[in-house]
């Protein structure tokens, strides 16, 4: 039944959409918003819209565990011993002098930033800025309530009110919380682990019980799929979407170590890089997920040999980049994806063997799990009768697992690239948290029966906006994200898996053609003074 005081449009699903088979009632959202179920068709152009009704009461029952999302810091802790302007806070933007704003309260994170469990880079990028939405996106309420009060030094006296877009996205996040989407069922991950371990069991059977080369190569294919599928579980652990609340009863630390043991890719390393990517997606000199020179350059801005703030070094557009890789990167793309897993091993080893980058997420458990992988994987491959089969088994399994690298890169490579935050006259990191993540993300349209293949990455926009939402809830939220993007004229992007691949090849080819015309002499002359 619809709300008697609410005007609403209805949503006609895209032909590629598959909605829940169970009837879904209309849901009243917070503060008088009204949401229509996403499966009622009316016209081709209508989408769900959130509109205020005259009633200020929500039809949702109060969540006994909910707290005031906009004022998590107790007044007694804020001390009110400092009043600052936004301009004053902005001056404290260095690693050893870092302030940020959370809900109009000023936090001094200078001494704490190097101890941040998610890595100093994730939080240091927003020194001198309002990081309310970034902090809320990555942390549960209990973290914000127990950790932040000790850092508060005062309040902001001239903070501008949040835009309507920001207000709407915040309210939608609270609505998802009340619906329970930030909680996951332990049984969901029991099923996922059982599924991937059944794949590994098939690999063992094909290697130890079968004698034909064909069976052994089939085992390599299944092993590649096993790695791809278990990586999705590691992805959820890294975002804490596998356990956003203590009562979800999921041990993400040991589950993440299990993923590292079987995949050979450190979940701690992945978390260190991937959370930065979520915070500053597609920012040309900050996002580690697009920093792939000398092999790939997704935008001609990268031809300028920029200093990469994540890696702490210049990403050289050197001779190899100019002459071998980038001018032909659209041709190299899939072959390189087939071998990209080897680089992930290297990155994991380098990460776990160093401790001077300010990231406190390393653990002895993760290191032991990685060493375990390098024991069992060679042992398994060496059970094959010839060196030729061993080499073929290893190469084929890694090539199949390269599907994951394709799935990760196609969500962002073809989307707009944001200028450096140091550049004058541009919005830092592409604008507010919600706009930058919508603009830089590409969703994959797929039917429900292929959700297992994409592992939640097909809902990239939603995942970037609310990374802690459990994977089992992602499909239910997608129509609301589309609707809100349309309301605020944000370019929500969604294509089939095939078209996403076409887009990434076109993007790489465009940059490749630019690279063929680029010359260091021309660039130097453009930078010359006088």
């Amino acid at each position: 039944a619809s709300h008697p005081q609410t005007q609403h449009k209805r949503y006609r699903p895209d032909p590629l959409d598959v909605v829940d088979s169970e009837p879904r009632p209309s849901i009243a959202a917070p503060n008088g918003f009204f949401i229509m179920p996403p499966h009622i068709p009316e016209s081709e152009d209508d989408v769900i819209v959130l509109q205020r009704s005259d009633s200020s009461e929500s039809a949702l029952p109060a969540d006994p565990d909910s707290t005031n999302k906009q004022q998590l810091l107790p007044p007694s802790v804020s001390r009110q011993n400092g009043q600052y302007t936004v301009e004053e806070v902005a001056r404290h933007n260095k690693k050893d002098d870092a302030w940020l704003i959370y809900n109009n309260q000023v936090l001094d994170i200078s001494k704490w930033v190097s101890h941040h469990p998610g890595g100093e880079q994730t939080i240091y990028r927003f020194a001198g800025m309002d990081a309310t939405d970034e902090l809320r996106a990555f942390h549960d309420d209990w973290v914000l309530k127990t950790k932040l009060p000790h850092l508060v030094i005062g309040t902001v006296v001239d903070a501008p009110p949040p835009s309507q877009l920001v207000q709407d996205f915040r309210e939608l996040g609270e609505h998802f919380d009340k619906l329970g989407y930030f909680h996951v069922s332990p049984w969901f991950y029991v099923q996922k682990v059982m599924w991937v371990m059944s794949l590994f069991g098939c690999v063992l059977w094909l290697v130890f019980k079968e004698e034909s080369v064909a069976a052994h190569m089939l085992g390599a294919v299944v092993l590649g799929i096993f790695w791809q599928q278990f990586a999705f579980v590691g992805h959820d652990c890294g975002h804490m979407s596998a356990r956003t609340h203590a009562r979800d009863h999921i041990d993400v630390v040991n589950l993440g170590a299990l993923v590292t043991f079987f995949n050979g890719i450190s979940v701690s390393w992945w978390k260190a890089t991937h959370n930065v990517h979520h915070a500053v997606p597609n920012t040309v000199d900050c996002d580690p997920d697009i920093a792939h020179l000398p092999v790939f350059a997704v935008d001609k801005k990268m031809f300028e040999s920029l200093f990469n703030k994540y890696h702490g070094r210049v990403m050289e557009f050197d001779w190899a980049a100019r002459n071998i890789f980038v001018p032909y990167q659209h041709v190299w793309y899939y072959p390189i994806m087939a071998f990209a897993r080897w680089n992930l091993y290297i990155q994991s080893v380098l990460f776990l063997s160093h401790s001077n980058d300010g990231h406190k997420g390393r653990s002895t458990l993760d290191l032991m799990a990685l060493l375990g992988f390098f024991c069992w994987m060679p042992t398994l491959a060496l059970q094959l009768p010839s060196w030729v089969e061993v080499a073929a088994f290893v190469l084929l399994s890694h090539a199949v697992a390269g599907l994951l690298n394709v799935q990760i890169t196609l969500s962002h490579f073809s989307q707009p690239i944001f200028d450096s935050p140091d550049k004058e006259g541009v919005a830092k990191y592409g604008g507010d948290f919600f706009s930058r993540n919508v603009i830089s993300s590409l969703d994959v349209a797929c039917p429900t029966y292929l959700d297992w293949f994409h592992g939640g990455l097909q809902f990239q926009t939603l995942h970037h906006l609310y990374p802690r939402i459990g994977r089992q809830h992602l499909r239910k939220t997608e129509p609301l994200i589309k609707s809100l993007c349309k309301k605020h004229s944000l370019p929500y992007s969604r294509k089939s898996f095939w078209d996403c691949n076409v887009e990434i090849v076109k993007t790489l080819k465009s940059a490749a053609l630019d690279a063929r015309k680029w010359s260091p002499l021309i660039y130097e002359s453009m930078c010359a003074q006088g």
Side-chain angles (χ1 to χ4, degrees):
S2 62
H3 196 293
Q5 299 180 11
T6 303
Q7 298 293 324
H8 61 264
K9 294 183 180 179
R10 292 181 175 181
Y11 169 75
R12 182 177 182 83
D14 187 287
L16 290 171
D17 280 338
V18 176
V19 296
D20 296 340
S21 58
E22 298 179 1
R24 198 166 350 167
S26 302
I27 303 170
N31 299 330
F33 278 109
F34 188 77
I35 303 174
M36 284 303 298
H39 63 286
I40 304 178
E42 186 173 89
S43 70
E44 293 289 346
D45 298 325
D46 285 345
V47 296
I48 302 171
V49 293
L50 304 182
Q51 294 180 321
R52 289 189 190 278
S53 67
D54 295 333
S55 172
S56 60
E57 297 181 359
S58 170
L60 288 172
D63 184 350
D65 297 323
S66 66
T67 57
N68 188 329
K69 298 291 193 296
Q70 297 303 315
Q71 182 64 32
L72 292 175
L73 308 184
S76 60
V77 179
S78 67
R79 301 189 295 270
Q80 299 182 357
N81 63 344
Q83 292 187 332
Y84 307 95
T85 65
V86 171
E87 184 179 356
E88 286 177 304
V89 175
R91 289 197 288 267
H92 298 269
N93 59 1
K94 300 178 177 59
K95 182 177 177 179
D96 58 350
D97 180 22
W99 293 6
L100 54 79
I101 300 170
Y102 176 76
N103 284 338
N104 294 336
Q105 293 175 297
V106 181
L107 281 62
D108 184 351
I109 61 172
S110 307
K111 296 180 179 179
W112 175 76
V113 65
S114 61
H115 301 281
H116 181 222
E120 65 180 25
Q121 295 235 21
T122 310
I123 192 168
Y124 166 55
R125 289 284 143 244
F126 302 96
M129 300 174 60
D130 188 327
T132 300
D133 295 307
E134 287 78 8
L135 288 169
R136 283 218 50 80
F138 298 117
H139 302 91
D140 191 18
D141 285 351
W142 73 268
V143 176
L144 301 176
K145 288 191 295 183
T146 59
K147 304 297 182 183
L148 297 193
H150 309 290
L151 306 173
V152 176
I153 60 172
T155 58
V156 178
V157 295
D158 63 343
S163 67
Q164 188 61 52
L165 180 150
V166 171
Q167 292 181 55
D168 284 352
F169 273 104
R170 288 177 181 177
E171 289 185 27
L172 186 58
E174 293 176 14
H175 179 55
F176 289 155
D177 194 12
K178 289 183 177 181
L179 291 177
Y181 292 169
F182 289 96
H183 292 271
V184 292
S185 166
W187 178 242
F188 178 82
Y189 283 99
V190 170
Q191 291 176 302
K192 291 301 178 185
V193 172
M194 290 174 62
W195 153 241
V196 295
M197 295 313 297
S198 69
L199 292 175
F200 191 69
C202 290
V203 174
L204 297 179
W205 177 272
L206 292 167
V207 170
F208 287 99
K209 296 295 185 179
E210 300 293 332
E211 297 182 356
S212 69
V213 174
H216 295 160
M217 294 306 102
L218 177 59
V221 171
V222 177
L223 180 58
I225 297 173
F226 164 76
W227 281 333
Q228 179 227 22
Q229 290 293 302
F230 218 176
F232 295 143
V233 176
H235 175 261
D236 295 347
C237 290
H239 279 300
M240 295 300 289
S241 61
R243 197 204 81 167
T244 58
H245 292 265
R247 68 171 180 264
D248 289 336
H249 304 298
I250 299 174
D251 188 342
V252 294
V253 174
N254 287 321
L255 182 57
L258 187 68
V259 174
T260 300
F261 176 80
F262 280 105
N263 268 39
I265 300 171
S266 166
V267 171
S268 298
W269 164 80
W270 176 88
K271 184 176 180 180
T273 62
H274 196 68
N275 283 344
V276 177
H277 158 69
H278 267 256
V280 290
N282 280 19
T283 298
V284 66
D285 58 350
C286 297
D287 182 0
D289 280 17
I290 60 171
H292 299 298
L293 280 173
V295 178
F296 295 125
V298 296
D299 191 276
K300 60 184 179 181
K301 300 182 184 76
M302 297 177 176
F303 301 167
E304 302 172 11
S305 295
L306 299 173
F307 180 84
N308 186 275
K309 293 178 173 60
Y310 178 82
H311 293 291
R313 63 180 177 86
V314 174
M315 302 295 287
E316 292 283 357
F317 190 57
D318 56 18
W319 184 91
R322 294 196 306 269
N323 296 279
I324 299 176
F325 293 112
V326 176
Y328 310 100
Q329 60 185 354
H330 54 297
V331 178
W332 283 113
Y333 175 67
Y334 291 106
I336 287 175
M337 292 297 102
F339 288 92
R341 188 175 184 85
W342 298 95
N343 178 59
L344 303 184
Y345 295 151
I346 295 171
Q347 297 302 318
S348 295
V349 171
L350 291 175
F351 177 79
L352 291 175
S353 61
H354 293 79
S355 59
N356 60 349
D357 62 353
H359 197 284
K360 301 300 179 183
R362 296 173 180 81
S363 68
T364 302
L365 180 63
D366 202 45
L367 177 60
M368 298 304 296
L370 187 65
L371 293 175
F373 170 82
F374 290 120
C375 291
W376 76 256
M377 176 55 197
T379 302
L380 176 66
L382 289 172
Q383 302 308 306
L384 300 176
S386 71
W387 286 107
V388 173
E389 279 196 47
V390 170
F393 181 89
V394 171
L395 293 175
L396 181 57
S397 60
H398 284 68
V400 172
L403 276 170
L404 178 64
N405 300 96
V406 173
Q407 289 173 302
I408 292 171
T409 55
L410 64 77
S411 296
H412 299 284
F413 269 25
S414 63
Q415 298 305 98
I417 303 298
F418 303 124
D419 282 314
S420 169
D422 298 333
K423 189 172 182 179
E424 294 289 337
V426 299
K428 273 196 169 185
Y429 310 123
D432 63 78
F433 179 79
F434 302 103
S435 296
R436 81 175 77 116
N437 279 292
V438 170
I439 293 169
S440 63
S441 299
L442 174 61
D443 285 7
V444 179
C446 76
T448 304
Y449 62 80
L450 284 179
D451 281 349
W452 70 271
F453 176 74
H454 294 284
L457 299 186
Q458 71 272 39
F459 305 112
Q460 194 70 200
T461 304
L462 179 280
H463 170 61
H464 264 251
L465 295 173
Y466 308 103
R468 294 183 299 107
I469 284 184
R471 198 200 318 174
Q472 66 193 95
H473 304 301
L474 294 179
R475 183 169 286 277
K476 293 178 284 189
T477 64
E478 183 192 28
L480 304 183
I481 297 298
K482 288 177 62 176
S483 174
L484 214 48
C485 287
K486 181 170 183 178
K487 175 182 177 182
H488 293 283
S489 301
L490 284 174
Y492 174 82
S493 301
R494 181 174 181 268
K495 299 178 184 293
S496 69
F497 184 66
W498 174 265
D499 287 338
C500 288
N501 279 269
V502 171
E503 284 295 312
I504 197 170
V505 172
K506 286 170 61 177
T507 298
L508 292 172
K509 185 175 181 179
S510 176
L513 295 177
D514 287 334
R516 296 177 193 180
K517 297 179 288 186
W518 187 90
S519 163
L521 296 177
I522 295 175
Y523 173 67
E524 289 171 10
S525 67
M526 291 172 62
C527 294
Q529 297 182 4

